[in-house]
Amino acid sequence: MSDYREKARERVKKYCKVCPVCNGKACAGQIPGMGGIGSGMAFQNNLTALAACRILPRYLHEADNPAPEAELWGQKLSLPVLAAPVGDVSAMGSDMPTARYTELLIKGCREAGTIATFGDRQRMDLLSENFAQIGGNGAMTIPFFKPWAPDDMGPRLDMAAAHGCAACGMDVDAAGFSALRKASPGFGIRSGRDIAELVKMTHARGMKFIIKGIMSPVDAHIAVDSGVDSLIVSNHGGRSIDCTPGTAEVLPAIAEAVGGSVLIMADGGVRTGLDVLRMLALGAKLVLICRPVTIAVHGDEEHGLRCYFEDLRQQLVAAMRLTGCADLASISRAALC
Ligand SMILES: Cc1cc2nc3c(=O)[nH]c(=O)nc-3n(C[C@H](O)[C@H](O)[C@H](O)COP(=O)(O)O)c2cc1C
């Protein structure tokens, strides 16, 4: 893995230093780039909040061979981790065309036994280049669309359905992105009524709807009442608004507020198998990882990604073993102190 980090450093050097721990300090404020917005604190708070969750070891039990396998709507996953969506990879200083990045990401995730996601493009011809990379098994790839008005979403949802996707997402926390606000009058903050309409449109095409960017119980309630199938607790990697708490700080209250009524996922600062265990203990069923996944793809293409996920899986198994968790359902707040 140290070889691939060297190679990745060369390929993303315009913006990313491929730091030993990807924590948002060296790249604070760098957008375009890999950083968090403004002071960079929202990105850094993601790591700080996770680190504050201390692990309570358990050694006297029968879970010597824990099972890290997960499931999402009938798809079996080798670990409870998905690759998080990114839009245009040139904005992170990549030397790869976005469609090539998407192709490698999808291949690597499939080989690792997990689900790939990709972000939106403003131009439909560029978005369709991403969809073209899906190949045979659309159910293992989830596209995430920007918060366009429901009237503008039909063609995007049609494209997802035509490629066999089982679910689509929307990153509602991109509502403030000024270039997109300028480009389309319908782009921006979505109401509960808009979300209900989008859910209906997505379900009518046979797909589930995931809302990404929930940071408060009040938004979580609105999302659930609008009929979403899943919500992602996320602050967009600290790139939407400055100075938010870390996602691990807000996750427990959101999980408590919506109970088991929808599937809860979370992202932000997850770097290790221990972090995956922490997010699950705080109430997520699945987690997403973005920046380290992009580094793995730039380091050694689909092979780099497969190695990264395998490493993460082994770390998670070790963490489960030493906290007495036989399977993912056994991971609870009891693993933390
Ligand atoms: C360069 C970059 C581009 C991103 N593009 C998107 C995007 O197009 N859509 C989206 O939903 N999230 C996007 N995100 C946010 C990630 O999906 C994810 O929520 C966040 O980065 C997770 O934090 P982590 O990078 O610390 O793992 C982007 C993040 C980065 C760093």
Side-chain angles (χ1 to χ4, degrees), residues 208-290:
K208 308 263 192 203
F209 186 87
I210 305 170
I211 194 164
K212 178 169 180 280
I214 299 298
M215 285 292 285
S216 69
V218 62
D219 269 4
H221 277 304
I222 293 170
V224 171
D225 291 346
S226 308
V228 304
D229 299 287
S230 172
L231 63 83
I232 304 180
V233 175
S234 173
N235 63 5
H236 214 103
R239 294 164 71 83
S240 170
I241 180 169
D242 202 355
C243 298
T244 73
T247 52
E249 260 177 274
V250 298
L251 172 57
I254 293 172
E256 197 178 325
V258 301
S261 54
V262 292
L263 174 73
I264 298 180
M265 308 191 212
D267 73 14
V270 176
R271 300 292 177 260
T272 63
L274 262 193
D275 290 338
V276 175
L277 180 109
R278 286 170 160 131
M279 283 295 201
L280 300 192
L282 295 171
K285 293 286 176 230
L286 297 168
V287 308
L288 295 91
I289 299 180
C290 181

Side-chain angles (χ1 to χ4, degrees), residues 310-322:
E310 182 48 35
D311 212 35
L312 205 60
R313 187 177 187 278
Q314 284 177 22
Q315 292 171 9
L316 175 62
V317 168
M320 290 169 72
R321 178 178 298 121
L322 299 183

